[in-house]
Amino acid sequence: MTELSFIHRFKPATESGRPPLLLLHGTGGNEDDLLPLSNMIAPGSALLSPRGKVLEGGMPRFFRRLQEGVFDEEDVRRRAQELADFIAQAREAYGLSAPVAVGFSNGANIAAAVLQLRPDALAGAVLLRAMVPLQDPPAVDLAGKPVLIVSGASDPIVPAENAKRLASLLTGAGAVVRHQMLPTGHGLSQADLTVTRAWIDQL
Ligand code: MLT
């Protein structure tokens, strides 16, 4: 793999006209985790899949947290900038247009932070089990940016109210947000894949 600022996998597109995807794993995952899922949600897309640089008890993440659901926001801000810089490097190295992020859990949270801090880095985002990453985000213009948030109604980590607040923050910034609540918990289900695939197909 090309030497860029994150350990990552890159797979070139096998079909033209599909948006490149930036795959962002959950806590304890790595750059291989979401590759099989991406075949189901966007076959043929170029794939860029970095490994989070923060280790929590040996488990890779994209930013530090103080405890479950309580984030080190200074680190969130720094890591979101670092990830956006990596996206720019990778776009240049691999000749990609701005990717659509597909993040799960911690990966969804860093994607939401990138939207709020470096909106030009992403063409859109699928946020699976996301929560509000920054309590006091800067004003940002997300005019027309497509965002799909898929939440679990019985998610023990992300209260439904928190996911709704994220949806309204992004909507308030101008993003075109679809927020789907599924009758499930924090883990991904077949319904996540179906909803995500249909949403990516209409981009
Ligand atoms: C986070 O730390 O980003 C969230 O609590 C989700 C998780 O990774 O468990």
Side-chain angles (χ1 to χ4, degrees):
M1 280 289 119
T2 313
E3 281 289 321
L4 301 179
S5 59
F6 278 68
I7 294 170
H8 67 283
R9 298 255 182 254
F10 173 68
K11 292 199 168 180
T14 55
E15 262 178 54
S16 58
R18 288 201 157 259
L21 301 187
L22 175 75
L23 303 174
L24 300 168
H25 62 79
T27 302
N30 65 29
E31 65 278 18
D32 292 324
D33 262 31
L34 298 180
L35 295 175
L37 172 139
S38 65
N39 283 333
M40 293 182 263
I41 57 174
S45 277
L47 304 175
L48 179 63
S49 186
R51 184 195 304 176
K53 289 186 182 188
V54 171
L55 289 178
E56 183 185 273
M59 297 189 298
R61 290 174 49 83
F62 287 95
F63 58 81
R64 259 171 45 81
R65 64 179 164 185
L66 307 175
Q67 60 187 69
E68 194 167 277
V70 182
F71 303 150
D72 174 343
E73 294 203 12
E74 205 180 300
D75 197 58
V76 174
R77 287 170 191 267
R78 186 163 75 84
R79 301 288 177 182
Q81 295 291 347
E82 194 177 56
L83 184 60
D85 290 343
F86 163 75
I87 296 167
Q89 288 170 8
R91 284 186 59 187
E92 171 139 2
Y94 299 123
L96 299 173
S97 56
V100 172
V102 177
F104 167 61
S105 190
N106 181 246
N109 298 339
I110 193 74
V114 170
L115 281 174
Q116 291 180 314
L117 296 167
R118 291 278 292 273
D120 294 343
L122 297 174
V126 178
L127 308 176
L128 305 166
R129 310 298 184 271
M131 59 194 293
V132 171
L134 295 167
Q135 295 310 315
D136 190 16
V140 63
D141 182 6
L142 293 173
K145 193 97 52 192
V147 177
L148 171 66
I149 302 175
V150 189
S151 305
S154 52
D155 188 333
I157 295 174
V158 183
E161 166 282 319
N162 187 301
K164 282 184 196 154
R165 191 148 53 88
L166 177 62
S168 75
L169 275 169
L170 299 177
T171 304
V176 180
V177 177
R178 169 149 175 237
H179 188 190
Q180 177 97 31
M181 191 65 82
L182 297 177
T184 182
H186 196 69
L188 295 179
S189 65
Q190 183 60 44
D192 286 275
L193 305 183
T194 309
V195 167
T196 301
R197 181 168 185 156
W199 185 86
I200 289 177
D201 277 349
Q202 51 83 54
L203 284 178

